[in-house]
Amino acid sequence: MAHIEEHKETHTVQKEKQNYVMLDLGKTPKFGMPAFIQVVKRSLSLELLKGLGVTFREMINALFKGKMHTTKYPFEKLPISPRYRAIHEMLRLLESGHYRCIGCGLCEKICISNCIAMETRYDENQRKEVSQYTINFGRCIFCGYCAEVCPELAIVHGGRYENASEQRAGFSLFEDMLTPIDKLKEQKEFAGFGSISPNADENIKKTPLAY
Amino acid sequence: MDALTIGTIIKILIILAIVSAIAGFGTYIERKVLAFMQRRLGPMHVGPFGLLQIAADGIKLFTKEDIIPQNANKFIFSLAPVITAATAFIAMAALPLFPTFTIPKSLPVIGGAIVPSTVADINIGILFILGTMAAGLYGPLLAGMAQSNKWGIIGSARTAVQFLSYEVVTGLSVLAPIMLVGSLSMIDFNDAQAGGITSWLIWQQPIAFVLFLIAGFAETNRTPFDLLEHEAEIVSGYLTEYSGLRWGMFFIGEYANMITISIIAAVVFCGGYNDLAFISGWFLFVLKVVFFFFLMLWARAAWPHVRPDQMMWLCWKVLMPLAVINILITGIVVML
Ligand code: SF4
Ligand code: SF4
């Protein structure tokens, strides 16, 4: 019994916290006369005009109070969450500018849809270097496993979500994904899968747990 | 040619040019108003404030491929849009648009021409207008049946249903003002309300006014009653197979009808183009028509549309009895 009591308590507490209002819709009339009376009541109380009032108020809000919703998309963009898994990026080492990938092949191995293809070889210093690295974005399901498994934080998900291209190979070559050497200073560390978006505070709402 | 004939021809040209231009401009206004009411921006990128969007749409309509479906009845299929567009403009022949005026003598050729307020001041004006607009319903009816498309058939079935329902209400609701004025001519309606705001028929006939507005919305397929082409239910109804210019003709017809209904409401119930104190009648008349036009867009943004059975229920069980009672009361008052 105790746990039920407890549950009731949290229930009421939550009820007090959230102010959800149940609309008073009244009874739905089942037969002729009450239905008729309801129609007459609604017509005489001019409910239709209230609807007109709401849209007019919204128009005034939009035009004169700066509450327009439109984002002029190609010119303006909304911030996306750092967790968002868009086209991959290959990062570089900040000190030397060399790419981070050590050619371990873990990403290729874990890829759930088998879409990473890579070839490696030894360079003149007998270190492993990546000679070929492509992701077939026609098959990638953007699951994020490759980024999670990478021991060097070399492959990460970037923010490029506008991925329409003229060729199937668009975005998918190693050089396309690699941070350009002159942009090295702007390279950002992937915040990771548990990270929160920069505007997280604005987005927080009370979660309704009890209905 | 005498002055009046030249004036009438000028008037015809004015109506054709201005109304089809306004019908095009109306689409722009509609999109803007709907957008603002939904807190969007509407057309923005073609020209200043998106004003040239009309031109872009016009070019698109003109250059689109004109498709006639294989099993369609080609003759009727091409005739139907013409019926809608033509009747919409024919109805305007009896509409008063602004006070009669004379073109100054100093102008060449057309100088001295008397431009009448209506093209044809026939003594059955309002009956003629409502009749022609009703005949315009043959457009959707034939279009839907000629195109061998199930959505089209449903669209034309709904046309018939809608037509039978609201036309009774339209007729009965204007009957009461007609009884008060004692004439069917639009000019007489206008002249009967010359005595300032208190003489407007809307104060004597508020119920008839509301009924007429409701029926007018149905007549022009505006939103609470846009059963004929409601895209969530029947794709596009009678318009499903139409493209390009033929579709454009239906469109112009619809907007011309909206203007006609706005003008009738302004003339019959709201004082027409009479001067009010110091405000000129022209200006006031345009304001009234614009208000009714805006009301149609406004209602489209605010209200959901009704089902066909609700529409019939409304027209036959609510509006028609109200209209009949209104006529009875008016008749008794007129007799006393
Ligand atoms: S996101 Fe998933 S599917 Fe895409 S390349 Fe990485 S592991 Fe493969
Ligand atoms: S897991 Fe990382 S380091 Fe290993 S091959 Fe893939 S990208 Fe390179």
Side-chain angles (χ1 to χ4, degrees):
Chain A
M1 277 323 269
H3 68 278
I4 294 179
E5 289 298 310
E6 202 174 281
H7 177 77
K8 258 189 192 159
E9 219 160 66
T10 49
H11 193 78
T12 46
V13 167
Q14 268 158 357
K15 264 228 167 108
E16 278 158 19
K17 258 194 225 158
Q18 66 199 12
N19 30 10
Y20 289 94
V21 183
M22 192 65 193
L23 286 180
D24 181 24
L25 296 176
K27 277 188 218 129
T28 311
K30 294 250 161 26
F31 50 95
M33 204 53 200
F36 177 72
I37 292 173
Q38 192 187 45
V39 166
V40 172
K41 255 190 201 157
R42 287 188 173 170
S43 322
L44 290 185
S45 66
L46 300 178
E47 290 196 357
L48 282 175
L49 296 192
K50 284 180 203 157
L52 285 182
V54 169
T55 40
F56 198 77
R57 192 185 65 219
E58 290 311 314
M59 184 167 88
I60 299 296
N61 278 345
L63 283 179
F64 303 113
K65 297 190 183 157
K67 288 197 179 164
M68 209 63 105
H69 272 308
T70 309
T71 310
K72 294 177 194 160
Y73 163 62
F75 313 115
E76 281 172 25
K77 285 180 186 171
L78 298 175
I80 62 167
S81 158
R83 295 193 205 183
Y84 190 80
R85 301 196 291 266
I87 293 290
H88 303 66
E89 271 169 14
M90 299 299 272
L91 301 188
R92 290 179 189 271
L93 289 168
L94 290 177
E95 297 83 1
S96 64
H98 196 269
Y99 58 78
R100 288 181 185 176
C101 177
I102 52 168
C104 69
L106 280 176
C107 52
E108 185 190 22
K109 187 83 183 157
I110 203 169
C111 177
I112 210 158
S113 47
N114 243 347
C115 62
I116 299 182
M118 60 188 297
E119 273 168 29
T120 53
R121 62 173 180 230
Y122 292 111
D123 67 1
E124 60 269 24
N125 305 325
Q126 292 299 300
R127 287 185 47 162
K128 229 178 181 184
E129 104 183 328
V130 182
S131 55
Q132 289 269 345
Y133 191 105
T134 54
I135 300 180
N136 181 349
F137 283 117
R139 285 171 51 186
C140 173
I141 58 166
F142 298 96
C143 63
Y145 280 4
C146 50
E148 202 164 351
V149 80
C150 178
E152 297 293 312
L153 298 178
I155 186 164
V156 300
H157 281 290
R160 255 201 302 177
Y161 53 83
E162 292 156 323
N163 41 11
S165 77
E166 290 165 353
Q167 297 183 0
R168 279 204 259 173
F171 313 106
S172 64
L173 299 178
F174 190 63
E175 294 75 34
D176 294 337
M177 294 185 282
L178 197 61
T179 316
I181 192 75
D182 49 324
K183 297 258 175 69
L184 186 58
K185 282 212 185 97
E186 294 157 33
Q187 173 178 299
K188 285 208 186 72
E189 220 51 59
F190 184 48
F193 293 106
S195 56
I196 53 174
S197 50
N199 59 347
D201 285 351
E202 301 160 24
N203 290 341
I204 283 177
K205 289 192 188 101
K206 268 187 206 161
T207 316
L209 290 175
Y211 283 98
Chain B
M1 275 194 286
D2 63 331
L4 195 60
T5 321
I6 299 178
T8 310
I9 292 174
I10 293 174
K11 175 84 182 190
I12 292 173
L13 292 181
I14 291 178
I15 290 185
L16 277 183
I18 293 192
V19 171
S20 31
I22 290 181
F25 192 62
T27 63
Y28 170 79
I29 297 288
E30 166 150 29
R31 289 157 80 173
K32 272 294 193 196
V33 168
L34 284 184
F36 291 152
M37 288 189 166
Q38 296 158 359
R39 295 210 236 148
R40 294 182 287 115
L41 288 172
M44 278 295 290
H45 294 291
V46 196
F49 305 107
L51 262 172
L52 293 181
Q53 187 71 42
I54 316 161
D57 285 347
I59 293 170
K60 186 192 77 178
L61 279 185
F62 270 97
T63 51
K64 251 190 179 176
E65 188 187 353
D66 176 30
I67 301 169
I68 298 183
Q70 202 174 21
N71 295 325
N73 183 327
K74 292 194 178 53
F75 176 64
I76 298 182
F77 187 83
S78 5
L79 187 68
V82 183
I83 295 179
T84 300
T87 49
F89 282 100
I90 293 173
M92 294 208 166
L95 275 185
L97 288 178
F98 37 69
T100 308
F101 65 95
T102 313
I103 292 180
K105 281 259 190 297
S106 51
L107 284 177
V109 191
I110 55 169
I114 303 164
V115 181
S117 62
T118 66
V119 172
D121 181 19
I122 40 183
N123 51 9
I124 50 161
I126 188 150
L127 270 195
F128 174 79
I129 296 169
L130 292 179
T132 335
M133 284 181 72
L137 263 263
Y138 272 110
L141 197 64
L142 294 180
M145 293 199 288
Q147 62 187 241
S148 82
N149 178 315
K150 56 188 172 184
W151 306 119
I153 293 284
I154 299 177
S156 50
R158 286 186 173 197
T159 312
V161 160
Q162 181 161 338
F163 176 69
L164 289 179
S165 315
Y166 73 74
E167 203 57 52
V168 182
V169 183
T170 325
L172 290 180
S173 65
V174 288
L175 197 52
I178 289 173
M179 284 157 70
L180 284 183
V181 175
S183 163
L184 290 166
S185 157
M186 299 295 270
I187 306 280
D188 288 344
F189 271 107
N190 178 63
D191 296 344
Q193 305 172 67
I197 258 191
T198 43
S199 71
W200 289 9
L201 280 178
I202 182 174
W203 308 125
Q204 294 176 43
Q205 291 291 346
I207 295 183
F209 173 68
V210 172
L211 293 182
F212 178 78
L213 266 194
I214 295 175
F217 273 53
E219 181 124 24
T220 48
N221 307 330
R222 295 306 299 181
T223 272
F225 310 111
D226 61 341
L227 312 173
L228 312 193
E229 43 174 321
H230 196 256
E231 59 275 353
E233 291 163 5
I234 49 172
V235 186
S236 220
Y238 67 96
L239 282 173
T240 308
E241 295 286 3
Y242 280 91
S243 63
L245 212 51
R246 293 185 209 280
W247 184 86
M249 280 207 254
F250 274 120
F251 209 66
I252 288 186
E254 182 182 331
Y255 276 80
N257 274 340
M258 281 167 72
I259 296 170
T260 312
I261 286 287
S262 308
I263 293 177
I264 298 178
V267 171
V268 174
F269 292 99
C270 294
Y273 47 85
N274 291 306
D275 294 348
L276 197 66
F278 58 93
I279 314 170
S280 117
W282 286 55
F283 179 67
L284 216 54
F285 185 64
V286 170
L287 267 194
K288 287 170 200 165
V289 174
V290 164
F291 171 75
F292 285 116
F293 196 85
F294 178 73
L295 188 66
M296 290 182 179
L297 313 183
W298 193 3
R300 177 166 177 197
W303 297 341
H305 93 138
V306 299
R307 293 195 310 259
D309 64 314
Q310 289 171 328
M311 152 110 199
M312 285 187 278
W313 176 86
L314 183 73
C315 282
W316 287 107
K317 290 193 183 167
V318 181
L319 301 185
M320 198 191 65
L322 273 182
V324 171
I325 293 171
N326 188 37
I327 289 172
L328 270 182
I329 296 175
T330 315
I332 292 171
V333 171
V334 168
M335 271 206 317
L336 296 180

